Amino acid sequence: MWIIRYAEIGLKGANRPFFEKALERDIRRRLANCGAPAVTRTHGRLWIADEPAYREQVRSALQLLPGVQSFSLAHRVANDMATMKKRGLEIFREAFDGETPTRFRVTTRRADKRYPMQSAEVSRELGAHLFQNSPEGLLSVNLANPELNLHVEIHADFAAMHLVIERGTGGLPVGTAGKVMCLLSGGIDSPVAAWQMIRRGCKVHYVFFENRTFLGRGAFDKVERLAKHLSQFQGRTTLTTVPFSDIQVAIRDQCEPRHRVVLYRRFMYRIAARIMRYHRCLGMVTGENIGQVASQTLENLRAVDVTVNACVYRPLLSMDKVDIIAIARQIGTFETSIEEAPDCCSVFLPKHPATRARVHELEADETHLDVETLENEAILNAECMKLGTNGAPSEKGR
Ligand code: ATP
Ligand code: MG
């Protein structure tokens, strides 16, 4: 069986059952395609039946399941001393080659405190048994820095034994924090930003601005695949595609070239904030990062931020690109993100974009445009796609 441990949600006091149920629900959803194993919840842990055919699939799902601190594939055995000794030795011998000097220990935890022996006594007796039944001189007990650590968890009617503890992603179960709207481009950053919010318990919806007239549908194809990929971590979600060509043409024709990118971004923010409210989301998410490109200086971030009365979350704000890329690889979005397909922000790029745009100058520039009509038109022509739990589009609508 698999033992699943959650750490942080254990601290939530009276809300604990709410978090535990959410985690249990999410595990069932994630493992529906892995033979839908039975899931039970006892003693501050979740337990899943092991099905060897699905073992690797279950392992990869657990590695990226928000709320899971660590997990182990364990042997379920009878909790009497004779059985634990016999099985403990078998498990130990599988890992111990019998030829290399090895430091070891036994770590016991009693979930059932009525068990007749203390945890330390169980460890001592099991440890002595392993020691006596192994080639002489090769095993040494080392409590602080063991190479092999046999973990024993004693419950009322069974014991779980395992050597390895695998790390989960931590965070909080999906949906426990509320909904947010992520501005998703096909780049490396925004999918990682979405994941960071999912990891902290948010349900993330997506909005994508598309310049189909000048760039075709290549970027949309990427974004759709990215949103579907992300939906496996969080269940049902939506992807709203907003036509952006007319707005970009208007900005190109009426405004200062050096303001273009920041003005694009101001329109994106205002439109996204309206779509965010429509979906009853509590904030917006972007992949912005200080100083990464000209449009992401502190001045330009502020010039965009002031356009909306909404919380804008930027989980990558202070991260380095190498670390962002490492996460993109881990969650499996990197390969898609680096496919060649230009984003609308690269359309009509001036030679010298403003790196320190002033809000009053941008506002003056926008008086040359019919901002309201442009935004209303874009929203009227937006398309919302529902993404199912398994990532399949279930419905499309305006
Ligand atoms: P990314 O890798 O996420 O595209 P980036 O480093 O390329 O980010 P920008 O192109 O300046 O940076 O975009 C900054 C953020 O603005 C993106 O992370 C994303 O949240 C949002 N954004 C940019 N272009 C679009 C778009 N076409 N549709 C939706 N959001 C966008
Ligand atoms: Mg980009």
Side-chain angles (χ1 to χ4, degrees):
M1 65 201 321
W2 295 92
I3 307 179
I4 298 171
R5 302 177 199 85
Y6 38 90
E8 216 173 319
I9 59 176
L11 306 174
K12 301 279 174 207
N15 278 334
R16 188 170 163 154
F18 165 72
F19 284 91
E20 288 176 338
K21 275 187 199 137
L23 181 60
E24 190 179 331
R25 202 167 44 235
D26 206 38
I27 288 177
R28 282 187 209 282
R29 181 187 62 75
R30 260 330 269 291
L31 302 185
N33 297 333
C34 308
V39 182
T40 48
R41 178 156 49 93
T42 56
H43 297 104
R45 283 158 170 38
L46 284 158
W47 306 79
I48 311 177
D50 168 49
E51 176 60 65
Y54 292 107
R55 203 172 276 169
E56 283 320 305
Q57 258 175 284
V58 170
R59 175 172 279 125
S60 349
L62 292 179
Q63 277 164 353
L64 289 173
L65 210 135
V68 172
Q69 198 62 31
S70 69
F71 56 93
S72 299
L73 185 56
H75 296 261
R76 184 192 169 110
V77 308
N79 65 8
D80 62 280
M81 207 58 210
T83 310
M84 292 197 299
K85 278 182 181 167
K86 181 170 167 288
R87 293 300 299 277
L89 196 58
E90 285 165 14
I91 295 166
F92 200 75
R93 280 191 174 147
E94 258 175 50
F96 172 54
D97 63 8
E99 289 168 11
T100 323
T102 302
R103 303 183 302 273
F104 88 106
R105 70 168 285 169
V106 177
T107 308
T108 307
R109 177 178 174 271
R110 286 178 312 161
D112 180 23
K113 300 288 186 216
R114 291 166 308 178
Y115 194 74
M117 290 167 79
Q118 299 277 324
S119 299
E121 285 176 76
V122 175
S123 295
R124 264 199 302 275
E125 197 165 327
L126 274 177
H129 185 71
L130 299 177
F131 190 78
Q132 283 152 14
N133 287 281
S134 301
E136 206 160 325
L138 286 178
L139 273 189
S140 59
V141 174
N142 190 321
L143 298 185
N145 186 22
E147 287 156 294
L148 288 177
N149 190 343
L150 180 65
H151 296 267
V152 183
E153 258 193 51
I154 302 182
H155 292 264
D157 50 355
F158 71 96
M161 305 179 94
H162 62 89
L163 286 166
V164 181
I165 295 181
E166 303 181 54
R167 270 192 70 163
T169 186
L172 297 170
V174 172
T176 54
K179 291 194 281 184
V180 289
M181 178 61 68
C182 177
L183 284 80
L184 187 67
S185 72
I188 295 171
D189 301 329
S190 41
V192 175
W195 159 252
Q196 300 281 71
M197 300 303 282
I198 295 172
R199 220 191 122 260
R200 286 308 297 178
C202 296
K203 182 87 161 186
V204 182
H205 291 256
Y206 303 96
V207 56
F208 168 59
F209 295 88
E210 184 189 44
N211 189 326
R212 201 182 300 182
T213 321
F214 290 82
L215 299 174
R217 299 235 78 183
F220 171 77
D221 175 62
K222 257 173 87 172
V223 167
E224 184 189 10
R225 277 184 287 135
L226 287 167
K228 281 184 189 172
H229 185 83
L230 290 165
S231 82
Q232 72 180 291
F233 301 123
Q234 63 169 78
R236 283 193 200 100
T237 182
T238 60
L239 167 62
T240 304
T241 304
V242 181
F244 210 52
S245 321
D246 292 351
I247 290 174
Q248 293 194 282
V249 168
I251 291 171
R252 177 194 66 187
D253 294 344
Q254 314 289 335
C255 305
E256 283 221 34
R258 66 193 183 91
H259 282 160
R260 275 179 201 157
V261 183
V262 182
L263 289 173
Y264 296 166
R265 211 41 72 68
R266 283 166 63 97
F267 274 83
M268 283 187 188
Y269 264 52
R270 284 187 296 247
I271 293 170
R274 285 169 65 179
I275 297 172
M276 171 196 95
R277 290 194 184 96
Y278 176 80
H279 284 278
R280 300 187 193 286
C281 292
L282 295 166
M284 314 207 302
V285 182
T286 77
E288 285 160 330
N289 177 265
I290 300 174
Q292 198 184 79
V293 285
S295 59
Q296 296 178 32
T297 60
L298 288 183
E299 289 84 352
N300 286 351
L301 286 173
R302 172 170 172 270
V304 175
D305 213 48
V306 293
T307 58
V308 291
N309 181 15
C311 282
V312 180
Y313 299 106
R314 302 182 178 95
L316 313 187
L317 192 67
S318 64
M319 287 174 68
D320 290 340
K321 195 76 184 186
V322 283
D323 299 321
I324 297 172
I325 288 175
I327 298 175
R329 285 187 194 280
Q330 194 193 358
I331 62 172
T333 54
F334 183 73
E335 294 303 325
T336 309
S337 287
I338 56 171
E339 284 173 23
E340 193 62 41
D343 185 56
C344 66
C345 290
S346 64
V347 174
F348 317 135
L349 270 195
K351 267 216 184 71
H352 301 291
T355 52
R356 296 198 159 85
R358 288 161 187 270
V359 175
H360 66 271
E361 288 177 10
L362 294 165
E363 285 170 355
D365 230 357
E366 278 176 357
T367 61
H368 304 133
L369 304 169
D370 184 351
V371 172
E372 206 179 315
T373 307
L374 283 168
E375 289 181 2
N376 286 344
E377 276 299 305
I379 287 177
L380 275 174
N381 290 302
E383 277 188 357
C384 181
M385 179 188 246
K386 289 185 182 166
L387 300 175
T389 306
N390 54 9
S394 40
E395 235 176 90
K396 222 172 167 181
R398 287 207 151 172

